Amino acid sequence: MKKLINAAAEVVPEALRGMAAAHPELRVDVDNRVVVRGDAPVRGKVGLVSGGGSGHEPMHAGFVGPGMLDAACAGEVFTSPVPDQVVAATTAVDGGAGVLHIVKNYTGDVMNFEMAAELVAAESGTEVNAVVVDDDVAVQDSLYTAGRRGVGATVLLEKMAGAAAEQGRPLAGVTEVARTVNARARSMGLALTSCTVPAAGKPTFDLPENEMEVGIGIHGEPGRRRVPVAPAREIAEMLVEPVLGDLDFTGGDGVLAFVNGMGGTPLIELYLMYAEVVGVLEKAGVTVARSLVGSYMTSLEMAGCSVTLVRMDDDLLRLWDAPVRTPALRWGV
């Protein structure tokens, strides 16, 4: 195992210390492993809290800041944050208008965020809503979930719900935006290589050089099938066609098309993939209204990519275009 680390057990706190040094506009609680926007709590504004296992950077801490999340909890690598972390994050961003938890559909995440919401409500009476993201069309159930996994749509949902909160919408309104994005989003991913969790010291799974895993999860969970390595044009069809088959994306105000790198894929390949994805969408009569290309929800150094589509409307387009200022995503400021 070759990694830029000191000790496997210290990867998460040491990375958070580095984030604190690189981004002094954030408050980083290394002990609780919580990252909070510097001006939190913002009075009268709905607070947005997300989190999950580390190893998916910049998800979630990289999306903390004006226009997106108010706080993020970092679990151990590929491990859910514990309830105490979520309680600390929720309390830190409670500006009196309630808090929305954005939770990827993994059993540990869902359970621990639910427990934290109950604890906060009992201690302070703060109203806490939750939206569970479940956009992955690859499998119905997996090693980590009951139902579909939460993957790439989480990034897009956090951005649009964050913009709604920044506008001053009430908790019910921000929650509705998040639920709308989740309902209109579908994703599918693919791995060319495995990744190595520092504590394990070896690849999570074996994937021969001439094979790829279609429908992989962000923790290395198996997907739909293992097939021979194919050209990008064929890979785009493998990823997009199941998404289009699950939800009608034609008509309306077009889609937000997101090609996401899994951590080990260079940007030149992601842009190449995006061109192929657009070609598949054009043939299917789907109009692209907005795009995002890059590695935003990774799986350590796994090579591969995922495709996420969101069916947009006027309101979602305005929310997507609204200013955002975070370490990993910023525009309009």
Side-chain angles (χ1 to χ4, degrees), residues 127-326:
E127 185 177 4
V128 180
N129 286 356
V131 172
V132 177
V133 188
D134 57 356
D135 54 307
D136 189 1
V137 304
V139 292
Q140 180 59 36
D141 299 291
S142 77
L143 298 173
Y144 294 81
T145 68
R148 290 180 167 178
R149 301 175 293 214
V151 287
T154 315
V155 178
L156 314 180
L157 187 155
E158 289 176 355
K159 167 62 184 79
M160 288 183 267
E166 209 71 44
Q167 290 177 353
R169 298 191 194 186
L171 180 59
V174 177
T175 303
E176 181 59 29
V177 167
R179 288 175 177 161
T180 297
V181 174
N182 185 57
R184 296 183 178 189
R186 299 290 188 275
S187 299
M188 181 81 162
L190 170 143
L192 301 176
T193 69
S194 179
C195 60
T196 299
V197 175
K202 61 182 181 179
T204 302
F205 59 91
D206 294 321
L207 190 58
E209 278 293 314
N210 62 341
E211 292 183 345
M212 55 189 186
E213 186 85 23
V214 181
I216 196 73
I218 59 173
H219 306 98
E221 311 98 300
R224 284 188 171 187
R225 64 191 188 278
R226 187 167 289 190
V227 300
V229 172
R233 186 171 295 107
E234 295 177 21
I235 292 174
E237 293 173 350
M238 292 178 195
L239 297 181
V240 176
E241 288 177 355
V243 169
L244 297 181
D246 201 82
L247 185 67
D248 182 9
F249 287 94
T250 58
D253 294 293
V255 302
L256 167 54
F258 174 30
V259 172
N260 173 64
M262 302 303 293
T265 302
L267 194 55
I268 188 173
E269 294 178 24
L270 295 179
Y271 276 120
L272 189 156
M273 276 299 303
Y274 180 77
E276 298 298 344
V277 166
V278 169
V280 176
L281 294 176
E282 287 176 346
K283 290 178 182 178
V286 176
T287 302
V288 176
R290 298 290 188 276
S291 63
L292 183 66
V293 179
S295 295
Y296 294 99
M297 186 178 197
T298 64
S299 187
L300 292 171
E301 79 280 22
M302 180 185 287
C305 70
S306 62
V307 174
T308 301
L309 300 180
V310 181
R311 193 174 63 211
M312 303 293 276
D313 58 28
D314 285 342
D315 186 45
L316 294 184
L317 287 170
R318 285 192 295 270
L319 293 172
W320 178 255
D321 291 341
V324 60
R325 189 168 73 252
T326 71

Side-chain angles (χ1 to χ4, degrees), residues 12-26 28 30 35 57-58 60-64 72 326-328:
V12 176
E14 290 185 352
L16 288 174
R17 280 193 283 272
M19 188 170 197
H23 297 285
E25 73 276 14
L26 303 176
V28 181
V30 176
V35 178
E57 288 73 21
H60 292 273
F63 300 131
V64 173
T326 71

